[in-house]
Amino acid sequence: MNKLKPWIEIAKPHRDIRDGSFDESLFAADLGLVANGKGPKDYLDPELFARKTYLTNNLRAALVEVGNRLGGDDTAAAVFRMQTDFGGGKTHTLLAAYHLFGSPDKVGATKFGRELASELKSGELPRARVAVLDGSAMTVDPETMPDGTTLHSFLGHLAWRLGGATLYEKIRAKDEGLRGTSTVEMVNLLTDAAPCLILLDETLEYLNKALEMRAQDGNLAATTLTIIKELCTAVSNVPGVAIIATLTSSRLEDYATLAGEEMQERLSKVVGRTENIVTPVEGDDIFPILHTRLFETVGDQSERRAVADAYGAWYEQMGDALPQQFRDPAYRDRIEHAYPFHPELIDILTNRWGSLSGFQRTRGALRTLAHTVKALAQRNQQSPLIHAGDMPLADAGVRAEVIRFAGESFKAALNADIIRRESKAAEEDRRRGGEVEKYNIAVALATTAFLNSFGADKVVGASAPQMLIGVGRPNPGLSRGVLDDVRDALSGSLWYMRYEAGRYRFTTEPNLNKVIVEREGAIGDDRLIELLREATIKVAPQTEPFRVETSVTESSDLADEPRLTIGVLTPDLTIGPEHGPDTVARASIILNNRGGSARTNKNAIVLIAGDRAGIAKARQTARSLAAMRDITRDQARLKRFNQEQRGQLAERLVSAEERLPQQITMAYRHLILLGGDGGSVSRVDTVDLGPTRASATIPGRILEHLKNNDRYLDSTLAPAALLTERFGVIAPGEQAVELDRLLGYFYRLPRLPKLADHDVLRRCLIQGVANGTFGLASGAMWDAPDAVLRHGTAVDPSEVQFQPGTWLVRAAAIALRIQARQPNITSAANGDGTTKGEPAPGAQDETPSNSSPVSAPEPNSRPGSTDPNSITISISGVPADKIRDVVKVAVMPLASGGAELAVDVEIRARNPAGISRNTLNLVVAEGLRQLGVEHSFTED
């Protein structure tokens, strides 16, 4: 799919919209001011107004009907009641009629005027007297006109505006007496003024003022209603006269009282007897109106269609995650017609906000969208459409419109969760980075939920599909999974957004997140330390062969004895950008000392330290866990939660209890242990164990690492390794070492591997004696005359005792000692090997079944032989699970002894079901290539 152009590269806002210099009064047309020669030029100038007005089908039909009536067509309707829902509303319609029939000579040359004239029966625009009665501009107090006439009531204003002082004189007495008139008198009045057009705007506002004014028949409001009823009846009976009335107030919330509601109902009944309802804007008529008012152009139709098709295809990919209406081909048409706005944004303003008494559909919506386009254009927004989530609530102009109907109490929610740089949603965007941060997806999701949180519906808030529609776009980096993941993260972090009845909505009351955060502030360090300790014990159980000690902070916390021990450092001893050196220094003291003395068994101990960032996460989880436990015990607080919130608290509590031990396991990833010879040159090694699975344990991680790096042996130790310089268990110039000392070396010397148990060394010794690598002697001294010597023969495990008096002896030395005892050993080589007579050097016996895989005598290993300079070892038939052991016993000892090694490997693989080509190419070949190893494949 080709990358879609940003809307700002296709649509071009009007200059004043783009730079923010537009006058907000352009979206607050006032009929009364225009009739008095005041207001913006866009409304005062008939020609300019006509050029900027979009003719919807309904508006066109209504104006044609009015024009025919004013032109003398008795069959045309006379009384019109405006019923508007959104943009290009009632006042704009009244202004269109005002200019069209009041100044036909100025409007007639425009496209607007020509189109209407062509549809009139007379073929031309009629001129008529236009009387504007704007209830917001009229008062119930006596008002003196420019010609000196003083008006007292609705009747007086009507007469004077239709015919000045001359026509007013006919009803002066009734006006001054605040009395009504008759239908006959009203017909006479209108006949004298015909052709004329009467425009009634904000009538309800005038009636509410009149409620407090006493009149002859009760109050002025009742008298005015009677006059309006007679007026509508008279208009229907006088040719060339029409009336257009708007009955609802744009400030209806100011009259939300019983008297105000009753007055509106009575007014509707009065006009309703003769009305012809006009709805100038219906449904998607709003789209071209927005284009006209806000943009110079919305781009080429083909470009708009390309965007619509791309979104339509993406919605189809979402499948049942979105309702069918979004996946229907017709919705692509809506996207094209609404461009650059996403239809869902306009629907929110129409269907949700439009039902609120505090939101003026035309004025409020146009101002909101004008500020939206301004803010997004100025930051060069790169989205293909302006989504609901893109509404910039941080913009002062947009925010003012929202607060006007939402109320000041929502400022806290906006500040904490959406509009500030440090808000929760903005932090989530920065935390994730990438496309999420580029398009501010977290802020957009929160904004979508916020916009859907208002309306007259009983159930408010954004459903999961609405959240997806509010931010989703054809972008590979913003898959549904990513969007859902960010949404779910916000559910657990925002302070004022709630998830109730399957919908996300904002309230002025802090949600569970905020309550938890507030309670977290009261959690002391002692509780955190205890929770961390409990969690650490869970994931650091006693695990053979290790003894596990938690909460280690001093060297005295770990005993100095020949037993493998894991010391888990306290959570304050971490390794990270700031705390690493101090922790390693403390660990060095613990590893090398026990209290005030040097530690003997240095190779028996390993330490594990927490990662600074990981421990910080665990501490936060522990703090939240403690807070939630407190809230659960706070019955007064629980009573304030609804059932859904109590369920969320229970779920989050269980989740935190499960998550804390897992975080502890993942945090304790820095292994600290000694290397070197264990003396003055021993070194402290730190190893990052890296990430791990959630089900792992701390001892398990350590054991796995030690095994994989040959620092822990649980089954096999190659006998020859005991004689290497690397091990150094027999000092140069010495021929033997006692077994108790030998065993002790494995606990004392960090250069040696750690043994799972004594049997690992016992099996090694039995195998080494059997294959002649070394010998075994028992006696006060290894070379004592009465010492029992074993070499090249089987040894019973009971003979291998790790105590004084049992010795490991170099092969050459013990062979010479045996020869010295039995000079004729050659003739007895095939004897029974009893008493003092031992088998000849190199004689073979059955090797124990649990010995090293190397079961034959090594080349040239006979006593007295010369060390070879070169050797080739041929090994065949090695099963896959023994490859690692072969490397341990045959490769690593030679390499550690300084030999240069070249290893050629031939792998023969067979599988009747076939060997995966992907495995060969993507795993085996690629892995060898990365290792820099020459290789080839031959298929049989």
Side-chain angles (χ1 to χ4, degrees):
M1 180 184 68
N2 295 329
K3 183 178 179 181
L4 299 176
K5 287 185 179 180
W7 68 266
I8 193 64
E9 295 181 13
I10 298 175
K12 185 177 182 181
H14 289 304
R15 179 181 297 177
D16 59 341
I17 300 294
R18 190 168 58 250
D19 62 21
S21 63
F22 62 88
D23 183 354
E24 287 196 358
S25 64
L26 289 174
F27 309 117
D30 190 305
L31 180 64
L33 288 177
V34 172
N36 287 316
K38 300 177 181 178
K41 184 179 181 182
D42 287 32
Y43 295 131
L44 285 175
D45 186 331
E47 183 180 355
L48 182 59
F49 177 86
R51 288 206 309 268
K52 291 191 174 184
T53 295
Y54 176 80
L55 271 176
T56 66
N57 291 335
N58 287 357
L59 177 59
R60 180 193 305 271
L63 292 177
V64 167
E65 189 76 1
V66 172
N68 285 332
R69 177 72 183 185
L70 296 178
D73 183 359
D74 295 344
T75 64
V79 180
F80 300 85
R81 177 166 74 92
M82 301 301 302
Q83 179 173 296
T84 59
D85 292 328
F86 188 67
K90 60 183 182 59
T91 305
H92 201 85
T93 302
L94 293 175
L95 282 170
Y98 175 82
H99 288 305
L100 190 65
F101 304 116
S103 305
D105 53 326
K106 296 181 180 179
V107 176
T110 65
K111 178 181 178 183
F112 174 81
R114 292 194 304 272
E115 288 183 1
L116 285 174
S118 66
E119 296 187 33
L120 295 176
K121 292 181 178 180
S122 64
E124 59 182 6
L125 298 176
R127 176 182 292 276
R129 296 183 182 184
V130 181
V132 174
L133 287 91
D134 185 349
S136 63
M138 294 164 55
T139 69
V140 294
D141 297 320
E143 183 177 358
T144 302
M145 297 294 101
D147 62 358
T149 303
T150 300
L151 311 178
H152 301 271
S153 68
F154 182 89
L155 179 60
H157 281 277
L158 173 64
W160 188 83
R161 283 170 170 74
L162 284 175
T166 302
L167 205 56
Y168 174 76
E169 288 299 326
K170 294 187 177 183
I171 51 87
R172 176 191 289 274
K174 292 183 178 180
D175 179 54
E176 293 176 345
L178 303 180
R179 292 181 287 122
T181 184
S182 66
T183 303
V184 174
E185 289 179 303
M186 189 65 75
V187 167
N188 293 333
L189 192 70
L190 295 177
T191 299
D192 291 343
C196 64
L197 173 62
I198 302 166
L199 304 178
L200 303 185
D201 194 17
E202 303 290 358
T203 308
L204 183 60
E205 185 172 346
Y206 178 82
L207 290 173
N208 276 273
K209 297 174 188 175
L211 277 172
E212 305 299 324
M213 176 67 68
R214 299 300 302 171
Q216 184 172 346
D217 297 329
N219 60 52
L220 187 57
T223 301
T224 303
L225 280 171
T226 301
I227 294 172
I228 292 174
K229 182 190 72 172
E230 294 169 347
L231 173 62
C232 291
T233 301
V235 166
S236 299
N237 289 278
V238 179
V241 179
I243 182 171
I244 305 176
T246 62
L247 305 187
T248 57
S249 172
S250 61
R251 292 174 289 276
L252 186 58
E253 70 278 5
D254 297 335
Y255 313 115
T257 62
L258 181 60
E261 292 175 1
E262 180 183 358
M263 189 62 65
Q264 181 182 2
E265 184 177 351
R266 292 177 63 186
L267 180 60
S268 296
K269 288 181 179 180
V270 165
V271 178
R273 296 180 181 181
T274 54
E275 70 182 0
N276 180 46
I277 296 178
V278 177
T279 305
V281 179
E282 282 187 310
D284 292 351
D285 285 342
I286 183 57
F287 298 156
I289 291 175
L290 292 175
H291 296 161
T292 302
R293 302 293 296 277
L294 301 177
F295 296 92
E296 293 180 12
T297 177
V298 290
D300 184 75
Q301 188 272 340
S302 63
E303 292 180 306
R304 301 197 302 271
R305 189 66 200 184
V307 173
D309 286 340
Y311 272 79
W314 191 74
Y315 292 157
E316 288 178 3
Q317 293 176 12
M318 295 300 102
D320 292 339
L322 293 178
Q324 183 61 42
Q325 72 178 83
F326 296 106
R327 293 178 278 136
D328 282 343
Y331 199 75
R332 299 190 182 195
D333 296 335
R334 290 201 76 207
I335 294 175
E336 177 187 341
H337 296 152
Y339 187 90
F341 300 109
H342 192 290
E344 183 70 6
L345 172 58
I346 307 305
D347 288 346
I348 290 174
L349 298 176
T350 304
N351 301 328
R352 286 195 176 275
W353 294 14
S355 62
L356 299 171
S357 60
F359 185 74
Q360 301 172 20
R361 290 182 179 91
T362 304
R363 302 172 184 180
L366 280 171
R367 281 198 298 261
T368 302
L369 292 177
H371 283 293
T372 295
V373 173
K374 169 205 69 180
L376 298 182
Q378 289 179 353
R379 72 184 191 206
N380 196 32
Q381 192 210 24
Q382 295 297 293
S383 176
L385 290 176
I386 300 175
H387 303 78
D390 295 327
M391 183 175 284
L393 294 173
D395 180 79
V398 173
R399 190 166 62 253
E401 293 300 321
V402 173
I403 294 300
R404 183 175 285 116
F405 69 83
E408 295 284 333
S409 57
F410 274 96
K411 280 186 175 180
L414 289 171
N415 290 336
D417 288 343
I418 302 178
I419 66 175
R420 291 184 173 174
R421 174 174 172 75
E422 66 274 16
S423 70
K424 300 298 181 183
E427 288 178 353
E428 183 66 17
D429 280 328
R430 290 193 296 273
R431 184 181 73 82
R432 291 180 178 265
E435 295 294 281
V436 171
E437 183 178 18
K438 177 181 178 181
Y439 292 102
N440 301 307
I441 294 300
V443 170
L445 282 165
T447 299
T448 300
F450 188 87
L451 300 189
N452 281 280
S453 298
F454 307 96
D457 296 341
K458 290 183 179 180
V459 179
V460 294
S463 64
Q466 286 172 321
M467 293 286 273
L468 184 58
I469 288 292
V471 302
R473 64 206 70 196
N475 184 321
L478 295 174
S479 66
R480 177 191 168 194
V482 170
L483 299 179
D484 287 352
D485 187 51
V486 177
R487 180 201 65 201
D488 293 343
L490 293 179
S491 294
S493 62
L494 299 188
W495 283 3
Y496 291 90
M497 187 180 79
R498 297 187 180 187
Y499 180 67
E500 297 175 341
R503 291 179 176 271
Y504 300 86
R505 71 183 185 95
F506 275 80
T507 69
T508 56
E509 286 292 321
N511 61 17
L512 184 59
N513 299 327
K514 180 76 182 306
V515 173
I516 292 173
V517 169
E518 290 175 343
R519 189 61 64 99
E520 285 175 353
I523 304 301
D525 284 343
D526 290 346
R527 288 191 66 186
L528 293 183
I529 292 172
E530 180 60 23
L531 285 172
L532 293 173
R533 187 187 70 80
E534 292 174 359
T536 302
I537 291 174
K538 286 183 180 180
V539 297
Q542 298 302 321
T543 304
E544 290 296 335
F546 292 102
R547 176 180 60 194
V548 181
E549 297 287 349
T550 58
S551 303
V552 173
T553 184
E554 301 291 343
S555 64
S556 58
D557 293 333
L558 297 179
D560 186 7
E561 56 189 22
R563 181 179 178 183
L564 295 183
T565 302
I566 294 174
V568 183
L569 299 181
T570 53
D572 59 311
L573 293 173
T574 60
I575 290 181
E578 296 178 7
H579 296 77
D582 293 342
T583 298
V584 174
R586 176 73 65 87
S588 177
I589 293 173
I590 296 172
L591 292 170
N592 284 289
N593 302 276
R594 209 277 177 168
S597 304
R599 187 177 293 277
T600 299
N601 297 286
K602 297 179 179 180
N603 197 41
I605 294 177
V606 296
L607 301 177
I608 190 78
D611 182 76
R612 183 188 178 205
I615 290 295
K617 289 181 179 179
R619 286 178 66 88
Q620 179 55 48
T621 298
R623 190 180 297 277
S624 298
L625 176 58
M628 287 187 284
R629 287 177 175 174
D630 286 353
I631 295 170
T632 302
R633 292 189 288 264
D634 187 346
Q635 294 300 315
R637 169 66 74 174
L638 280 180
K639 289 179 180 179
R640 295 170 59 183
F641 290 165
N642 59 31
Q643 184 176 354
E644 201 157 5
Q645 288 175 313
R646 286 193 290 270
Q648 290 174 0
L649 175 60
E651 290 177 3
R652 292 176 65 171
L653 180 59
V654 171
S655 176
E657 289 173 338
E658 294 175 350
R659 188 169 65 254
L660 181 57
Q662 295 171 357
Q663 288 179 331
I664 290 292
T665 302
M666 291 185 281
Y668 275 97
R669 60 187 289 174
H670 296 286
L671 181 64
I672 309 175
L673 68 170
L674 290 177
D677 65 1
S680 59
V681 295
S682 63
R683 67 181 185 274
V684 176
D685 293 336
T686 59
V687 181
D688 186 348
L689 300 181
T692 187
R693 60 189 185 279
S695 60
T697 64
I698 293 176
R701 297 190 70 187
I702 295 173
L703 190 58
E704 182 180 15
H705 170 80
L706 294 176
K707 281 184 178 180
N708 292 340
N709 290 273
D710 297 327
R711 301 188 75 165
Y712 172 86
L713 302 177
D714 59 356
S715 60
T716 302
L717 172 60
L722 294 178
L723 304 178
T724 62
E725 293 182 7
R726 174 194 170 197
F727 273 46
V729 294
I730 301 180
E734 295 186 2
Q735 301 300 323
V737 60
E738 284 185 287
L739 295 194
D740 64 332
R741 177 182 287 272
L742 174 64
L743 179 62
Y745 287 158
F746 283 92
Y747 292 102
R748 291 170 50 198
L749 303 179
R751 67 172 177 265
L752 298 182
K754 304 176 195 307
L755 302 182
D757 52 40
H758 298 180
D759 285 340
V760 175
L761 183 56
R762 179 175 282 112
R763 290 191 294 270
C764 172
L765 294 171
I766 291 172
Q767 180 186 354
V769 172
N771 63 27
T773 303
F774 45 72
L776 194 69
S778 298
M781 293 295 293
W782 76 270
D783 54 356
D786 59 347
V788 177
L789 307 180
R790 295 288 194 209
H791 183 235
T793 187
V795 177
D796 188 273
S798 63
E799 296 184 56
V800 182
Q801 298 296 323
F802 298 102
Q803 60 188 17
T806 304
W807 307 75
L808 180 153
V809 186
R810 294 185 188 273
I814 198 168
L816 289 174
R817 177 62 56 183
I818 292 173
Q819 288 177 350
R821 286 183 178 182
Q822 298 183 356
N824 298 321
I825 191 65
T826 303
S827 63
N830 296 320
D832 59 7
T834 59
T835 67
K836 297 279 185 164
E838 299 295 331
Q844 298 303 301
D845 199 351
E846 183 178 355
T847 305
S849 60
N850 57 354
S851 66
S852 167
V854 182
S855 57
E858 298 180 14
N860 299 327
S861 63
R862 291 179 176 82
S865 63
T866 304
D867 291 342
N869 294 322
S870 177
I871 189 171
T872 299
I873 302 175
S874 298
I875 305 173
S876 62
V878 181
D881 60 347
K882 294 296 184 180
I883 291 294
R884 185 177 186 84
D885 291 330
V886 170
V887 173
K888 284 183 179 180
V889 302
V891 176
M892 298 309 297
L894 295 174
S896 63
E900 294 183 4
L901 269 69
V903 180
D904 296 325
V905 179
E906 181 180 64
I907 301 173
R908 294 181 298 276
R910 181 176 298 278
N911 187 342
I915 299 172
S916 169
R917 184 75 61 183
N918 283 340
T919 301
L920 288 173
N921 294 334
L922 302 181
V923 179
V924 179
E926 178 62 20
L928 293 173
R929 186 190 65 77
Q930 292 183 11
L931 291 174
V933 175
E934 294 184 6
H935 61 277
S936 62
F937 291 88
T938 302
E939 296 186 23
D940 298 334

